[in-house]
Amino acid sequence: MHEILVLYYSHRGSVRALAEHIAAGIHQVPGAVARVRTVPRVSTVCEAVEDDIPADGPPYVEVRDLEECVGLALGSPTRFGNMAAPMKYFLDGLAGAWLNGALAGKPGCVFTSSSSLHGGQESTLLSMMLPLFHHGMLVLGLPFSEAALGTTQSGGTPYGPSHVSGSEGDPVPSTDEVQLARAQGRRLAEVALRLAVAR
């Protein structure tokens, strides 16, 4: 089995829900399995530390997760049109993985959530792609052959799956958002397996 890393940070559960649907899409592809990981919060107070093991949800990511995966789905909430600080902090610490080419030649995709429809989702997705390009990854989007891209009234972009939680912060994705997240997981797994066989 080839493992695809689904790595995310989620503050209120929306990005976590998308990650779970992307993982479900990965599991639909024979020979592929999702390895789901998260990153710890960061603090403005240097002394603050997180427990080594999260209270709930998946374990924290380690560099070996990046080295061992054959593909990467990267998710973060939108923060003023950019990824959240915990994900950026983790990515900023990957100089060793970058030097070693741990992700070079592997496919990757990105996903996000925001509270408003025009809350900066697309710029967040595009900004999350930049580190992946620097790591030499092959970045995948969602093609318009995915019918839900033309019908969604909430999240979902050609740059990657997304969710609009609304002013109440509803973490449950819409039917179209679920379809697009699962389609992205399948697409990532299919491409990753083709590339893994070719290596």
Side-chain angles (χ1 to χ4, degrees), residues 59-197:
Y60 292 133
V61 68
E62 299 176 6
V63 173
R64 70 178 181 85
D65 294 314
L66 301 172
E67 296 168 346
E68 294 171 359
C69 74
V70 296
L72 169 66
L74 186 69
S76 169
T78 292
R79 296 290 184 263
F80 302 106
N82 206 332
M83 72 184 88
M87 184 58 72
K88 180 72 165 62
Y89 182 81
F90 171 75
L91 293 173
D92 285 348
L94 293 180
W98 171 71
L99 285 170
N100 295 332
L103 293 170
K106 297 178 182 179
C109 66
V110 292
F111 57 101
T112 192
S113 177
S114 65
S115 60
S116 62
L117 189 58
H118 302 289
Q121 289 190 353
E122 291 184 344
S123 61
T124 297
L125 293 170
L126 290 168
S127 70
M128 289 174 67
M129 292 178 185
L130 297 178
L132 305 189
F133 286 127
H134 277 266
H135 280 275
M137 298 195 79
L138 309 171
V139 180
L140 306 175
L142 278 168
F144 274 95
S145 56
E146 293 297 336
L149 275 180
T151 60
T152 183
Q153 296 295 305
S154 51
T157 80
Y159 308 113
S162 63
H163 169 64
V164 178
S165 64
S167 59
E168 300 299 316
D170 184 1
V172 180
S174 70
T175 300
D176 287 333
E177 292 169 344
V178 168
Q179 289 178 2
L180 292 170
R182 291 187 179 202
Q184 183 74 85
R186 287 191 304 273
R187 187 164 198 246
L188 177 61
E190 288 165 356
V191 171
L193 290 181
R194 286 191 201 116
L195 290 171
V197 169

Side-chain angles (χ1 to χ4, degrees), residues 4 10 31 48 89 107:
I4 315 287
S10 188
Y89 182 81

Side-chain angles (χ1 to χ4, degrees), residues 36-51:
V36 182
R37 297 290 186 266
T38 190
V39 297
R41 292 184 179 192
V42 294
S43 174
T44 56
V45 181
C46 295
E47 292 79 18
V49 295
E50 291 280 349
D51 292 333

